[in-house]
């Protein structure tokens, strides 16, 4: 039985989804959260899509078996490749799904002045065409410039230091966006808001960066209120963290990015059927 006392479950391949969780903690602090970083399978951006869909189906089932009132796909690649399968599995548990691609496309389409929108994302996300379709669906006849940035999420996930090589990598990814004159850039990977200052510096003040977290938190609020599952009151909720890879590397990087203690991070193991 699904009721308002259950947590909101969310997952990502790693620490990227924390940018979504952060916005949720700001907008909906009274809710309980359950976060899974599928670090054993990181990076999703380069995995075979069929394998990823099997993995996503398993993760959604495991999370919802624990009991949750809503499933948030806090990962653009998982949304682009596996939103449909996630919805199919969640439907069996009677749970609604909030993905990350559509809310960002809506904002980008609304705020661009020159109609040129960039998308910086993983290889799988770009190849899926999910953002292109979502932006086209906005009906503004936008020019969409997509750039795959396969090395950026691993750099962030490892918690590496910014050096000249990092800057050269980021400048390389931004070059086609600058050349195309985009005035709006969708950070199409939930890891990327964690390096927004670097990207803003390279692209300049006039390019607006669109992160997913804020819009997704608003979508979560609407969905919970719409289904009568929002939690009332002023008490702060709880949060629980799980990862599928080593606990210490996840915990260190996640604590730094979220800027709060995570409590005990627990490791869970999933074996995906072949
Ligand atoms: N955070 C994931 C996303 O939003 C990507 C990182 C990965 O490649 O696993 O796309």
């Amino acid at each position: 039985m699904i009721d308002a006392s259950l947590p909101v479950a969310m997952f990502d391949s790693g620490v990227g989804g924390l940018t979504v969780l952060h916005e949720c903690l700001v907008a909906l602090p009274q809710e309980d959260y359950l976060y899974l970083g599928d670090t054993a399978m990181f990076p999703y951006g380069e995995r075979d899509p069929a394998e990823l869909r099997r993995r996503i189906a398993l993760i959604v089932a495991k999370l919802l078996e624990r009991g949750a009132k809503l499933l948030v796909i806090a990962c653009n690649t998982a949304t682009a490749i596996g939103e449909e399968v996630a919805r199919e599995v969640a439907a069996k548990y009677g749970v609604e799904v909030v993905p990350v691609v559509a809310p960002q496309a809506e904002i980008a389409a609304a705020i661009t002045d020159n109609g040129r929108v960039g998308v910086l994302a993983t290889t799988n996300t770009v190849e899926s065409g999910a953002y292109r379709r979502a932006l086209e669906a906005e009906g503004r006849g936008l020019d969409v410039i997509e750039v795959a940035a396969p090395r950026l999420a691993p750099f962030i996930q490892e918690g590496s230091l910014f050096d000249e090589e990092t800057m050269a990598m980021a400048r390389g990814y931004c070059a086609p966006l600058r050349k195309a004159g985009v005035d709006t850039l969708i950070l199409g990977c939930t890891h990327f808001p964690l390096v927004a200052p670097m990207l803003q510096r390279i692209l300049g003040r006039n390019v607006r960066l669109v992160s997913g977290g804020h819009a997704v938190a608003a979508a979560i609020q609407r969905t919970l209120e719409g289904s009568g599952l929002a939690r009332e009151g002023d008490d702060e909720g709880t949060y629980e963290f799980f990862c599928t890879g080593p606990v210490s590397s996840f915990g260190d990087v996640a604590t730094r990015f979220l800027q709060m203690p995570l409590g005990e991070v627990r490791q869970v193991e999933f074996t995906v059927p072949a």
Side-chain angles (χ1 to χ4, degrees):
M1 173 68 188
I2 297 170
D3 65 62
S5 70
L6 289 169
V8 172
M10 58 178 73
F11 76 96
D12 176 47
S13 57
V15 296
L18 298 176
T19 58
V20 175
L21 176 61
H22 163 73
E23 292 294 342
C24 290
L25 293 172
V26 174
L28 300 162
Q30 72 280 16
E31 300 291 348
D32 290 347
Y33 296 95
L34 208 152
Y35 183 98
L36 174 83
D38 190 13
T39 45
M41 285 285 279
F42 182 88
Y44 277 7
E46 306 297 306
R47 292 242 171 226
D48 168 51
E51 179 191 21
L52 213 45
R53 276 189 280 274
R54 287 197 297 276
R55 183 73 174 183
I56 290 165
L58 184 73
I59 285 180
V60 174
K62 294 280 181 196
L63 284 172
L64 300 185
E65 268 163 28
R66 293 184 64 86
K69 61 182 176 183
L70 185 70
L71 177 83
V72 181
I73 312 177
C75 173
N76 298 83
T77 310
T79 300
I81 301 295
E83 179 177 345
E84 213 173 286
V85 72
R87 285 190 188 277
E88 277 166 23
V89 177
K92 292 186 192 150
Y93 294 82
V95 169
E96 285 191 75
V97 175
V98 174
V100 283
V101 171
Q104 260 180 309
E106 205 179 307
I107 296 180
I111 66 173
T112 177
D113 289 323
N114 70 7
R116 289 198 282 276
V117 175
V119 178
L120 195 63
T122 66
T123 306
N124 266 334
T125 300
V126 169
E127 285 180 357
S128 76
Y131 274 106
R132 188 171 289 280
R133 282 193 300 279
L135 287 163
E136 276 168 11
E138 294 297 319
R140 279 199 56 193
L142 303 168
D143 282 336
V144 181
I145 298 92
E146 294 183 281
V147 175
R151 289 170 57 208
L152 200 48
F155 163 78
I156 296 163
Q157 183 69 30
E158 284 156 17
S160 311
L161 289 175
F162 293 79
D163 56 16
E164 282 309 322
E165 205 186 314
T166 315
M167 295 308 301
M169 165 184 64
R171 280 196 201 99
Y173 291 144
C174 290
L177 300 165
R178 288 172 58 116
K179 189 158 176 245
V182 303
D183 73 350
T184 303
L185 174 65
I186 292 179
L187 301 182
C189 168
T190 51
H191 280 72
F192 296 173
L194 296 165
V195 293
M198 172 178 74
L199 297 172
Q200 190 77 72
R201 217 165 42 229
I202 296 169
L203 292 165
R205 191 188 298 284
N206 294 333
V207 175
R208 298 186 191 110
L209 304 183
V210 180
S211 308
H214 192 67
V216 174
I220 293 170
Q221 186 161 13
R222 275 197 307 275
T223 309
L224 289 177
E225 284 172 1
S227 51
L229 289 173
R231 192 178 277 184
E232 307 288 335
D234 295 329
D235 289 346
E236 250 182 45
T238 61
Y239 37 86
E240 269 187 288
F241 293 90
F242 299 89
C243 62
T244 54
V247 168
S248 63
S249 52
F250 174 83
D252 292 351
V253 178
T255 307
R256 186 140 29 94
F257 287 147
L258 212 48
Q259 300 176 10
M260 66 183 210
L262 302 192
E264 186 196 356
V265 179
R266 275 173 283 168
Q267 188 174 11
V268 283
E269 266 177 47
F270 299 143
T271 312
V272 188

